[in-house]
Amino acid sequence: MLDLAGGIVPVPTGVAVTKAVALQVYLLFQQQRLKHLAFKHVYLVLASFSLGYRVNSAQTAAVERLRRFFSSKESGARVGLAEDYKERVKKRSRDEILKQLTVPEARRHLMQLYDREPLNFSFAEVAGGGGGGDPGGSGTATMAPAPTQPAPGPLDVRTRTLATQLTLMAAGAHCDFAKGTRPYFWDRTAARWVQSTGPTGWSDRLGELPLDVLRIIDGTVRQVKLSRARRAETHELQAIALRKQLDDERRRTEELVTAAQASKRGAERTLRQAAALRDQAADERRATEAAMEAARREHELDLKEARAAAAAKYNVLRAEARAERVTAGEKITELERIITELERGLRGAKLALRAAGREAVAAADEAASELERAMSGRVWSAVRAAEARREAAEKRCDDLQDELEELQQQLGSRSQSRQRDAEQLRYFQKRTEDLQAKIAAYDMRANRRFYDIEPIAEENALLREQLAEARAEAAKYKSIAEPDASYFRNGGGYTLEHDLAIAECVTKARVSRNQVSRLFSIFGRFYRIKLPTHVQRVPHKKVAGKMTYVERTLLYVGGKTHVKEVCAVLNQAHKLQVGVQLLESPNDSYCYISDGAESLQTDYLAQLLSRRDASGRLQTIALDLSTLHGKSSEAQCAAFRESMRAVAEICRDLKVTTAVEPMLLNFTPSSSMNDRAAPARKAARLVRGVAEGEDDPTCAHHGIVNIFEGGRKEIDKVLKAAMNITEEQSAADAAKIKNMRTHVGWFSSPSCSLIYQTVKYTALFSSKGYAVGSKFRQWILTQLAAQEGDIPDDQLLGSVEDLLAICGSRDYVFFMNAAVTERFSQDGSLLTFLEEEDTMGAEAGGKLRKSILLGFRSDYIMAAVRAMALICDSALWELLRAIGSDTHILDILPVMWPETLAFFEAAAAAPSKVVDGSLTLRLSVAREAKVTPRATRAAIDIARIREKAAGEKAAGDTTIEKMLSSAFTAMAEGTRNHASEFLPGGNFCSEKITDELRQRLSGMPTTSTSAERTFALGRDHDQRAGACRDDTRSGAILGAMDNTHEFMRGREKGEEEWRMLRRLARKGMKETMAEKRIAAGRVAATERNAKLEGHRAKQAAKKKELARLEAI
C-alpha cells in the first residue's frame, strides 16, 4: 500500500505470484477488448508483481521465454501453462475428479490447484535491477534492493500516470470485473464465500486488481524523496484521493445495489418456493386421489372376485349338499322300505301266530275229547298195542338204518363213484339240516308273541351298522378318487405330502424340476383321479396399453418356482437330518470325509460323515455340499464350522434342542479320510483339532492310482528309448491332450495314446464324427456269424462292450483296457476292419484310423500294451477287490500293503514269472472273484497275451520283461511312499494297532470315493437343471444321497417342521445369486491381490537381481 502520510514511498515486498496469478493475467489480456495490447505488457505486469517495483521495459528474449512458458509445444506434447489449462479443461473426462464436474466447476478447481504451485519463472535479468526468485524457484522477490544508479531527475507524475494507465489501469478499466462483474469462472457460490471469509488469495481478489496495481507500481517505480508540499500539490495525488473517494462511493453503491438485489432475489426465491410447495401439494393430492381411486377399483375387483369365488364355492357346496340330500333320501327310502317289509312281516307273523293259537286250541280241545272217548273203551288197549308195534317198527328201522350205513361204507370203499355218491348224500344231509334249521327259525318267529320286537330292533341296528361301514368305505374310496384341496394345500402353503412327492420325483426319479408338475396330471389321468382345481385371474394380454385378465381353472399343484423352493427346503431338512442323527448317536466314532471339485465353473466342497451302525455296516451321511470360496486349508475348516453352526441353529429353530447345542456347534470327528494332498491333510488336522504330523490314513483308491501311474511312466520310458523318442519330443507333445493326469500325445505315451484312440474310435454312444463303434460292432457280428463253427472257443475277436470309457480321474483304466485293445489288434478284428476302411477311403475317423493302424503294426507299442495287461491281471484286480468292502480299515490295509510291496519286489526281481502266470498277487484279505462272462473273456485274453509274450521271449525279444521289471520297481517305490503309514514302522502298521485306535477309526472307510459319488450326482443334476442356486442344488443332491424325504415322512411333527423349514428356506432365498457372487468375489479378490503382490514382489526382486548382475 502507498504511505500517503510520510515523505518516502516504501518499497513493499513482491506479490506471491503463483501459476493461478499468471494464468489469470494471461487470460485477461487474451480477451477480445484487450487483444490490441502486446504480450510485453503481460511480462511487465508479472515482473512488477514478482519484483515488487515498477518495471518499464523488458528484453525481447525474456518476453519470448515467457511466451513459450505459456503456449509452447515440444514433440507433440503440450507443456505450456495456458495450453495445459485448456487441454485439461477440454479433456476433463480423463481425470477421475474433473469428469464429475461441469465446465465452470472444472475451471475453478484447476485455478485452485494452480494457486498452490509457484510460477517457477525468473525475472532476474529484467533491466532496471530488482531481485526475482531463483530459476526454478517461487518467482517471488522478498525485498527489492535500491538501484545503484542515481534517480533520473524530477518525476513527471502525468507521464508516470499515463504509463500506468497504458499498461495496467487501462486493462482494469476495460475488463468485465472493473465494471462490477466477475470473470467467466466466477459464480455466486464463490462470491458468497469471499463475502463471508474475506479475500485470501489472488483468485479471490480479482475485483481489486486495477487499484492495487496502480498503487503498487505507481508507488514503487522509482525511489524518489518528494517534499510534503509538492507531493500534496501534485495533480496525481489529488486524482488519487478523488479516485479513492469515488471508488469508496461506488463500492458502497454497489453494496447497496447488491443487498437490494439479494433481498429481491430472496423474496422471489420465497415466492418460487411457495409456488413449488403449492404445486407439489397439488401433485400429491392428485396422486393420492389417483391412488385412492386405483385402490378403490382394485378393492372392487378383489371384492368382485371374492364374491364370485364365494358364489362358486357356495354353488359347489350347494351342489354337494344337494347330492348328499339325494343320496340320503335314497338311503332313507331304502331303509323305510326295509322297515316296512319288516313291519309287514311282523304283522303277518302276528296274524299267523294268532291263527296258529286258535288252531292249537281247537286241536287241543278235539284231542282232549278224543282222548276221553278213547279212554272210555277198548280203544285204549288197541292204542297201546299200536304203540308197541310202532316201537318195534322204529327199532327195526334203526337196525335197518345201521345196516344201511354199514352197506354204504362198504359201497364207498369199493369204488370211487360210490364214494362220490356218499359225499353227495352227506351234502344233501347237511343241506337238509340247514333247511331244518331255517324251518325251526321260521317256526320260532311264528311262535313269537306280538310284543316280542327286540330281535327285530337288533336286526335293524345291525343293518344300520353295516350301512355306516359301507358309507365310510365309500367315502374313503371317494377321497382317493376325488381328493380334497386340503390334501394339497394347508393354509397358506402346500402340504408336506405334496412337497415330499415333488422331492421324491426330483431326487429319486431324477425328473427335471421344470417337468415335475406334469407328473401329477399324467398319473392322475392314468388312475382316473380327479385333482382339485380353483379359479384364478391371471394376466392375459395388453389392450390399449392396459393389461387384461382372464379367469383360468388351475390345479392345486405347485409349479416350477415351487419345485425350486422345495429343493431349497430339502436342503434345510437335510441339515435337520444331520443334527438329529448326531444327537441320537453322540458316542459313535465319526470319520470326516471331504473333497473338492468344479462344476459349471464353480468350486464345490463335499463334506461327509461316516460311522458304523448297530449292524456293523458303514453308514455315510452327507454333511454339506457348499460353494468353496477359497482353496486354502483354513477356508475348508471354516466351511466345516459354518456347516455345523447351520446344523445347530436349525435344531434350535425347530425346537429339537432348547438352544444352540454345544455338542453340535463344537462337534469334532474322531478321524478323517482324504487324499494325500497337503492342503487336504492340513484341513483335516484343523477340523480334528490335532497338531501337525498327526495325520490319519489316506484314501487307498488314490494310492493305487498314484502307484500304477508311476509304473506306467516307467513303461513309457522303456518304450520311448526303444522307439528313439527324445525327451524334447515328449515335452513338446505332452501339452496337446491331457486326460486323467495322463498325457496321451503320441510322443509322450505311445501305448496310452493307442488305447485312448481305440476307445474313442470304437465308442458305441457318441455324437462325434470319429465314433464309429456301432459300425464296427455290426461288422464284427456279421463276420462272426458267417464263420460260426470255424472259430475256436478260445479265440476272441469281438465284444466291443468290454472297453471301458476313459472318463473321470482313474489312470488305471488304461491298464483295464490294455487286454481288450490287444484283442482288437488281431487279424479278423478291428485291425482288419480298419484296413478295409482305409482301402475304401472312408471319411469318418481318418486320422484316428491311421494312428491306430500305426500302433497295431508297431511291435514295441504292442509290447507295452501287453505289459500293462499283464500288470492289470496280476495285481490291479486283486487290489480293487480288497478295498471294496465294509471291513474295518485296520483289518485290510495293514495286511494288504505289506503283501503288495512284497509282490512288487518279487515281480521286479523275476518278471518272467509274471509273464508265465506263476507269480500273481494273492491277498489274504481280498474277496473272491466273481465268475462273469466278461471275466471269462478276460481270462482268454490273458492266456493269448502270455502265449505271445512267451513266443517273443523264445525269439530273443525281452522287451516285455524289461518293461515289467521297471514298472514293478517303480510301483514298489510308490508303495513305500503312498502307503508308508501301513508298512512296518508306520503309524498304523499291524504292530501299533490298539483297541483305542480301532475304536477311533471304526467309522473310517478304506476310500474316499463317497465324496466323488457326490460330485457324480452333482454332474448328473447339472446336466438336467443347468446353472441354479447353490441351496436348491445342494437340496436335490443331498436329498437323493440320504433319502431326506423318507426322514421327513417319518417325523412325528413333520407338517409343522416342514412349514418352519420353508420359512427358513425363503429367508435364505432372499439373497440373490448376484449378491452371493459379489460376496464370494470380494473374498476371492483379497486372496488374488495377496497372490499378485507376492508374485509381483518376486518379479521385482528378480528384475533387480538381474539388473545388479548385468551391472557387474
Side-chain angles (χ1 to χ4, degrees):
M1 298 294 293
L2 186 64
D3 186 5
L4 299 178
I8 299 176
V9 179
V11 179
T13 59
V15 179
V17 181
T18 63
K19 287 185 178 181
V21 175
L23 183 59
Q24 292 180 11
V25 172
Y26 173 79
L27 296 175
L28 179 66
F29 279 86
Q30 291 297 318
Q31 293 184 3
Q32 186 67 28
R33 299 176 182 176
L34 303 179
K35 278 196 173 183
H36 61 281
L37 299 177
F39 193 81
K40 178 181 70 175
H41 297 89
V42 179
Y43 184 89
L44 295 177
V45 171
L46 294 178
S48 300
F49 285 170
S50 178
L51 300 176
Y53 57 86
R54 169 73 178 273
V55 177
N56 294 324
S57 62
Q59 298 179 3
T60 304
V63 175
E64 289 299 323
R65 187 165 59 86
L66 183 63
R67 185 190 300 274
R68 289 194 303 273
F69 179 80
F70 275 101
S71 59
S72 62
K73 299 181 180 180
E74 295 180 2
S75 302
R78 301 181 185 273
V79 297
L81 179 60
E83 297 297 336
D84 178 69
Y85 170 75
K86 294 177 182 178
E87 180 74 12
R88 294 178 68 177
V89 172
K90 181 178 180 182
K91 299 182 177 180
R92 64 183 185 280
S93 60
R94 300 179 180 179
D95 192 278
E96 293 295 333
I97 299 177
L98 296 180
K99 69 180 182 180
Q100 303 176 4
L101 306 176
T102 61
V103 175
E105 293 174 346
R107 289 172 175 168
R108 183 168 67 253
H109 181 73
L110 289 176
M111 285 299 176
Q112 293 174 357
L113 294 179
Y114 287 144
D115 198 34
R116 302 172 186 172
E117 302 178 9
L119 182 60
N120 294 332
F121 188 87
S122 176
F123 298 95
E125 69 277 9
V126 177
D134 293 336
S138 63
T140 302
T142 59
M143 193 68 180
T148 57
Q149 67 273 18
L155 176 64
D156 188 350
V157 295
R158 292 174 299 174
T159 304
R160 189 170 62 182
T161 303
L162 286 175
T164 303
Q165 295 288 343
L166 288 175
T167 56
L168 296 173
M169 191 62 187
H174 291 288
C175 70
D176 292 337
F177 55 77
K179 297 180 180 180
T181 61
R182 295 295 185 182
Y184 60 89
F185 50 80
W186 200 264
D187 59 1
R188 296 180 182 177
T189 304
R192 289 196 298 269
W193 180 73
V194 171
Q195 291 176 6
S196 61
T197 60
T200 57
W202 173 264
S203 60
D204 302 326
R205 293 185 284 111
L206 297 178
E208 301 175 359
L209 176 61
L211 184 59
D212 289 349
V213 170
L214 175 63
R215 288 178 177 177
I216 293 173
I217 297 179
D218 192 41
T220 59
V221 170
R222 298 174 183 174
Q223 296 181 356
V224 179
K225 295 183 178 180
L226 299 177
S227 64
R228 184 185 302 274
R230 183 176 177 181
R231 188 157 49 82
E233 294 174 355
T234 58
H235 177 271
E236 181 183 14
L237 294 178
Q238 295 176 5
I240 290 174
L242 293 174
R243 172 106 180 243
K244 182 178 180 183
Q245 296 176 5
L246 180 62
D247 289 341
D248 293 339
E249 292 294 331
R250 186 180 62 186
R251 187 178 295 108
R252 285 193 294 270
T253 303
E254 290 175 353
E255 289 175 355
L256 292 174
V257 172
T258 302
Q261 291 177 352
S263 177
K264 183 179 179 180
R265 287 194 297 272
E268 292 176 352
R269 187 182 302 107
T270 303
L271 291 176
R272 287 195 300 271
Q273 290 177 354
L277 291 174
R278 185 174 60 254
D279 296 338
Q280 183 179 0
D283 294 338
E284 290 178 354
R285 185 187 63 187
R286 287 192 294 270
T288 304
E289 292 176 353
M292 291 177 63
E293 181 66 20
R296 185 182 62 80
R297 292 178 181 176
E298 185 176 359
H299 178 68
E300 290 178 354
L301 291 176
D302 294 340
L303 184 60
K304 184 178 179 180
E305 292 175 0
R307 287 175 179 174
K313 190 173 182 179
Y314 173 76
N315 293 333
V316 173
L317 292 176
R318 187 171 61 181
E320 291 178 355
R322 189 183 300 112
E324 290 291 337
R325 283 197 299 271
V326 172
T327 305
E330 293 175 355
K331 297 298 183 181
I332 291 172
T333 303
E334 180 67 19
L335 287 176
E336 290 176 351
R337 184 185 62 80
I338 295 174
I339 293 172
T340 302
E341 291 179 356
L342 291 175
E343 290 176 350
R344 187 181 297 112
L346 180 60
R347 288 195 297 270
K350 289 180 180 179
L351 294 175
L353 182 60
R354 291 173 184 173
R358 288 194 296 268
E359 292 177 356
V361 172
D365 294 341
E366 184 179 0
S369 61
E370 289 180 357
L371 181 60
E372 289 177 355
R373 288 195 301 267
M375 291 295 293
S376 62
R378 292 188 298 268
V379 178
W380 183 250
S381 60
V383 170
R384 285 196 294 269
E387 286 180 354
R389 288 193 299 270
R390 181 180 60 80
E391 290 176 357
E394 288 178 354
K395 183 178 180 181
R396 179 63 178 169
C397 182
D398 293 336
D399 295 338
L400 292 175
Q401 184 68 28
D402 295 336
E403 186 178 358
L404 178 61
E405 290 177 357
E406 184 178 357
L407 293 175
Q408 287 178 351
Q409 291 178 0
Q410 294 176 0
L411 184 62
S413 62
R414 291 178 181 176
S415 64
Q416 190 69 23
S417 59
R418 301 291 183 178
Q419 190 175 4
R420 284 197 299 267
D421 294 340
E423 291 178 357
Q424 189 174 7
L425 179 60
R426 284 194 297 271
Y427 168 74
F428 286 128
Q429 289 177 352
K430 184 67 173 61
R431 180 63 175 165
T432 303
E433 292 176 359
D434 293 340
L435 293 175
Q436 290 176 355
K438 287 186 178 181
I439 293 171
Y442 292 149
D443 292 340
M444 186 181 295
R445 288 185 180 181
N447 293 329
R448 287 176 182 169
R449 304 295 187 271
F450 65 93
Y451 49 82
D452 293 339
I453 59 173
E454 293 182 0
I456 299 176
E458 293 177 357
E459 292 180 1
N460 290 341
L462 180 61
L463 289 175
R464 290 191 181 93
E465 292 179 359
Q466 293 177 356
L467 179 61
E469 292 177 358
R471 284 183 176 180
E473 189 174 4
K476 172 185 175 182
Y477 290 117
K478 182 179 179 181
S479 64
I480 295 175
E482 297 180 4
D484 191 66
S486 61
Y487 186 72
F488 290 81
R489 289 187 66 89
N490 185 8
Y494 289 95
T495 60
L496 176 63
E497 286 298 331
H498 172 272
D499 287 353
L500 291 185
I502 291 177
E504 197 165 0
C505 291
V506 175
T507 58
K508 291 304 178 182
R510 297 183 181 179
V511 180
S512 174
R513 292 186 293 185
N514 295 336
Q515 306 298 329
V516 171
S517 301
R518 296 185 179 182
L519 295 181
F520 286 86
S521 301
I522 294 173
F523 286 102
R525 186 166 52 251
F526 176 75
Y527 289 110
R528 292 179 290 182
I529 296 174
K530 183 180 179 182
L531 298 178
T533 59
H534 65 285
V535 179
Q536 183 177 348
R537 294 180 73 250
V538 296
H540 180 50
K541 61 180 179 180
K542 283 188 175 182
V543 178
K546 293 184 178 180
M547 178 62 69
T548 60
Y549 295 84
V550 296
E551 292 186 353
R552 291 184 179 176
T553 302
L554 304 177
L555 296 174
Y556 276 113
V557 176
K560 301 177 183 178
T561 304
H562 181 71
V563 175
K564 297 177 183 178
E565 181 183 273
V566 169
C567 294
V569 180
L570 204 63
N571 185 33
Q572 301 294 330
H574 184 268
K575 292 182 174 62
L576 175 63
Q577 183 181 6
V578 174
V580 170
Q581 176 171 326
L582 292 178
L583 291 173
E584 292 177 351
S585 56
N587 299 324
D588 289 354
S589 298
Y590 280 92
C591 176
Y592 174 69
I593 306 171
S594 64
D595 200 358
E598 180 182 353
S599 180
L600 298 180
Q601 300 182 356
T602 303
D603 293 325
Y604 291 98
L605 175 65
Q607 303 179 90
L608 301 96
L609 296 175
S610 176
R611 64 158 186 167
R612 291 196 180 271
D613 56 13
S615 62
R617 297 182 59 84
L618 284 175
Q619 179 189 11
T620 302
I621 184 172
L623 173 61
D624 199 359
L625 179 61
S626 57
T627 55
L628 188 61
H629 302 312
K631 296 186 178 180
S632 62
S633 303
E634 291 76 10
Q636 182 175 336
C637 180
F640 172 77
R641 290 302 169 195
E642 179 64 22
S643 300
M644 294 309 305
R645 183 190 62 80
V647 169
E649 291 180 351
I650 284 285
C651 293
R652 177 203 60 191
D653 295 340
L654 270 69
K655 297 181 176 54
V656 177
T657 57
T658 57
V660 176
E661 181 64 33
M663 191 276 286
L664 296 176
L665 193 61
N666 303 321
F667 174 75
T668 302
S670 60
S671 59
S672 63
M673 166 60 67
N674 46 266
D675 55 22
R676 295 185 65 83
R681 306 193 78 174
K682 180 180 178 181
R685 292 196 301 270
L686 293 176
V687 169
R688 292 174 51 218
V690 297
E692 185 176 358
E694 299 182 16
D695 295 317
D696 276 345
T698 55
C699 176
H701 220 270
H702 288 80
I704 294 174
V705 170
N706 296 325
I707 291 170
F708 276 77
E709 184 180 3
R712 181 199 57 78
K713 290 181 178 180
E714 292 300 320
I715 292 176
D716 287 338
K717 289 182 181 179
V718 177
L719 176 60
K720 287 185 285 188
M723 297 180 65
N724 297 322
I725 297 176
T726 62
E727 293 297 331
E728 290 77 9
Q729 289 175 321
S730 300
D733 190 57
K736 290 182 179 179
I737 303 173
K738 184 176 182 181
N739 190 57
M740 298 180 332
R741 299 187 301 154
T742 301
H743 298 290
V744 291
W746 184 257
F747 292 115
S748 62
S749 179
S751 58
C752 291
S753 176
L754 174 62
I755 297 172
Y756 182 63
Q757 291 168 351
T758 303
V759 173
K760 288 174 63 177
Y761 194 87
T762 58
L764 296 176
F765 307 101
S766 177
S767 59
K768 304 296 183 180
Y770 53 74
V772 292
S774 298
K775 295 182 180 179
F776 169 61
R777 181 169 61 176
Q778 179 182 355
W779 180 87
I780 191 64
L781 290 176
T782 305
Q783 296 295 322
L784 294 177
Q787 301 175 12
E788 185 177 2
D790 298 336
I791 301 177
D793 295 337
D794 59 349
Q795 184 179 359
L796 282 176
L797 298 175
S799 300
V800 187
E801 63 276 7
D802 289 349
L803 274 177
L804 301 178
I806 299 181
C807 59
S809 59
R810 293 294 167 261
D811 184 18
Y812 53 69
V813 177
F814 285 100
F815 288 88
M816 295 179 178
N817 286 333
V820 185
T821 302
E822 202 279 337
R823 181 200 306 171
F824 290 161
S825 66
Q826 302 177 91
D827 290 330
S829 187
L830 181 61
L831 176 61
T832 304
F833 175 76
L834 294 177
E835 290 174 347
E836 293 178 358
E837 289 285 302
D838 191 42
T839 302
M840 293 187 299
E843 296 181 359
K847 294 182 179 180
L848 284 176
R849 180 172 61 247
K850 294 178 181 178
S851 299
I852 296 172
L853 287 174
L854 180 61
F856 283 167
R857 293 165 180 168
S858 172
D859 294 337
Y860 294 116
I861 295 177
M862 293 309 300
V865 171
R866 295 184 184 107
M868 295 174 67
L870 292 172
I871 292 175
C872 177
D873 179 74
S874 62
L876 179 58
W877 289 115
E878 188 76 3
L879 290 172
L880 295 179
R881 283 193 295 268
I883 64 175
S885 65
D886 284 350
T887 309
H888 198 291
I889 186 174
L890 296 181
D891 293 335
I892 298 178
L893 299 187
V895 179
M896 183 188 79
W897 285 121
E899 293 179 357
T900 303
L901 177 60
F903 167 75
F904 287 158
E905 292 175 345
S912 59
K913 294 184 178 181
V914 177
V915 174
D916 60 24
S918 59
L919 179 60
T920 57
L921 178 60
R922 290 292 179 263
L923 297 175
S924 59
V925 294
R927 296 174 296 169
E928 291 293 331
K930 295 182 180 180
V931 179
T932 61
R934 177 171 291 183
T936 304
R937 293 193 294 270
I940 296 175
D941 288 334
I942 291 299
R944 181 185 65 256
I945 291 172
R946 295 186 192 281
E947 183 180 355
K948 290 184 178 180
E952 293 175 359
K953 182 179 180 181
D957 187 359
T958 59
T959 305
I960 294 179
E961 293 187 0
K962 292 180 181 179
M963 292 179 177
L964 292 176
S965 179
S966 300
F968 282 120
T969 302
M971 292 163 72
E973 187 62 29
T975 304
R976 297 187 185 95
N977 180 24
H978 295 284
S980 58
E981 60 264 27
F982 294 104
L983 297 178
N987 294 332
F988 303 98
C989 64
S990 301
E991 292 77 10
K992 296 183 179 181
I993 297 176
T994 61
D995 295 339
E996 182 181 357
L997 182 62
R998 292 185 65 87
Q999 176 61 29
R1000 187 173 72 84
L1001 302 184
S1002 61
M1004 179 182 293
T1006 55
T1007 67
S1008 62
T1009 53
S1010 53
E1012 297 178 0
R1013 176 177 175 268
T1014 305
F1015 296 130
L1017 292 176
R1019 287 190 295 270
D1020 179 69
H1021 173 272
D1022 294 340
Q1023 289 179 356
R1024 296 192 310 273
C1028 57
R1029 292 179 58 89
D1030 53 354
D1031 48 3
T1032 60
R1033 181 180 187 271
S1034 300
I1037 297 172
L1038 300 181
M1041 292 181 61
D1042 298 330
N1043 296 325
T1044 307
H1045 60 282
E1046 295 294 342
F1047 166 77
M1048 289 303 303
R1049 188 172 282 118
R1051 297 289 292 173
E1052 183 178 356
K1053 299 180 180 179
E1055 191 76 40
E1056 179 182 355
E1057 291 177 345
W1058 187 259
R1059 285 197 298 270
M1060 299 175 67
L1061 291 171
R1062 182 187 294 134
R1063 287 195 290 269
L1064 294 175
R1066 288 176 178 174
K1067 183 178 179 181
M1069 293 179 72
K1070 290 182 180 178
E1071 184 181 7
T1072 63
M1073 288 304 299
E1075 295 173 349
K1076 289 188 176 182
R1077 293 188 182 101
I1078 290 173
R1082 289 172 179 169
V1083 176
T1086 303
E1087 297 181 0
R1088 181 183 180 88
N1089 293 335
K1091 291 181 180 179
L1092 285 175
E1093 290 178 1
H1095 287 295
R1096 287 168 181 167
K1098 291 180 181 178
Q1099 293 175 359
K1102 186 176 181 180
K1103 289 181 180 179
K1104 185 177 180 180
E1105 182 66 16
L1106 290 176
R1108 186 184 67 81
L1109 294 176
E1110 290 177 356
I1112 294 175

